[in-house]
Amino acid sequence: MNVTSLPRSLPPGRIVESYGRSGILVWMSDGKLPDADEWWRRLYADRARTGLYPVLLEYTEDMYEFHVGGDEPVDAAAYFRDTWRPSSWPSFPAWPGLAVPAAAGADPDVCAGEEAAEVVREDRARCLALVQAERGSDVPSALNWPGMCNHMGKDELSGVLRSWEDRFGARLVGFGHADLYLSAAVPPKNLHEAQVLAAEHYLACPDWFHNNFDDWEATYPEELLTSRQWRLWWD
């Protein structure tokens, strides 16, 4: 991948040179874009041709602290199994295995575009980056994103995201300092599987639950049956 692989039409921005020297191309906008979601959808639709995956960012300054690198994503099933404890939420007598998705769902690309529009509308992330990656789950590992470093490693996060991509049509949309914005196109199969999926979310990101939900034990699994937005936050 080289500079000529960039799309011809882009908002004002630049290649982050340190990433270019590493062999991974990363382009970044000069600042916030009022129409960042429109750019995101356009570049997302063109990702197979360019080999560049778009992500929304809260601040362009966040990129300067990243160091390109990473190994292969870990196996999500092994990560969850090893991380689970009898005291984990929701309570199961033993680790139940990975959550099973419903037989059908919505279009993952449509859901991703809807989440991008919502993230921009809420003014959570309106800067834009392009990362040389085959799929969104590869981006945290490729960028060595540090937002979840107090809880899990970048390759563990990439493995978890890859599993959610494959099972639930999840798509990475953007990052904050320690926030992760995902869309989800396929719901869990039933309420029991929603509880298992809730356990996966808890094991990946317990901080989000303990800091954002007063009644999450009763409501979160049911919300997963209809929600197309997955938001994670690490302390």
Side-chain angles (χ1 to χ4, degrees):
M1 187 72 66
N2 52 46
V3 177
T4 60
S5 298
L6 285 172
R8 291 184 179 179
S9 176
L10 286 172
R14 64 202 182 281
I15 290 176
V16 182
E17 291 297 336
S18 61
Y19 293 85
R21 288 193 297 269
S22 75
I24 296 179
L25 176 62
V26 177
W27 173 93
M28 180 170 54
S29 67
D30 286 339
K32 292 185 177 181
L33 303 172
D35 53 352
D37 55 325
E38 296 178 12
W39 279 107
W40 188 94
R41 285 194 295 267
R42 190 180 311 163
L43 295 166
Y44 177 84
D46 204 28
R47 68 194 186 284
R49 183 187 66 82
T50 64
L52 298 170
Y53 192 97
V55 287
L56 296 169
L57 299 172
E58 186 176 3
Y59 302 108
T60 57
E61 291 84 354
D62 289 345
M63 296 288 286
Y64 293 124
E65 298 182 3
F66 297 157
H67 303 283
V68 170
D71 301 313
E72 289 297 316
V74 304
D75 178 71
Y79 171 79
F80 289 132
R81 184 178 61 249
D82 294 342
T83 307
W84 180 84
R85 300 291 183 269
S87 59
S88 299
W89 176 86
S91 178
F92 294 101
W95 171 242
L98 295 177
V100 177
D107 185 322
D109 296 338
V110 171
C111 294
E114 292 172 349
E115 173 66 349
E118 187 68 10
V119 167
V120 171
R121 186 190 68 80
E122 295 174 358
D123 200 26
R124 292 180 178 270
R126 289 173 49 202
C127 303
L128 183 68
L130 285 171
V131 182
Q132 184 181 349
E134 292 185 5
R135 50 199 292 180
S137 56
D138 294 337
V139 171
S141 186
L143 293 180
N144 196 19
W145 182 65
M148 70 301 151
C149 64
N150 289 333
H151 181 72
M152 66 197 308
K154 61 186 181 300
D155 301 319
E156 292 170 330
L157 177 61
S158 285
V160 167
L161 294 182
R162 177 168 292 193
S163 181
W164 289 344
E165 283 176 344
D166 293 341
R167 285 180 290 146
F168 299 100
R171 298 292 183 266
L172 174 64
V173 171
F175 296 117
H177 278 308
D179 297 270
L180 190 64
Y181 305 117
L182 302 168
S183 63
V186 182
K189 183 177 180 180
N190 50 42
L191 182 57
H192 170 75
E193 298 302 332
Q195 291 170 334
V196 178
L197 178 58
E200 294 183 22
H201 286 195
Y202 181 87
L203 292 173
C205 187
D207 298 338
W208 170 251
F209 293 87
H210 293 300
N211 287 276
N212 287 280
F213 293 97
D214 294 329
D215 194 30
W216 47 267
E217 293 184 357
T219 62
Y220 193 70
E222 289 190 359
E223 291 175 3
L224 289 175
L225 292 171
T226 57
S227 176
R228 294 184 179 181
Q229 294 180 344
W230 293 358
R231 306 277 178 91
L232 302 180
W233 172 85
W234 289 269
D235 194 357

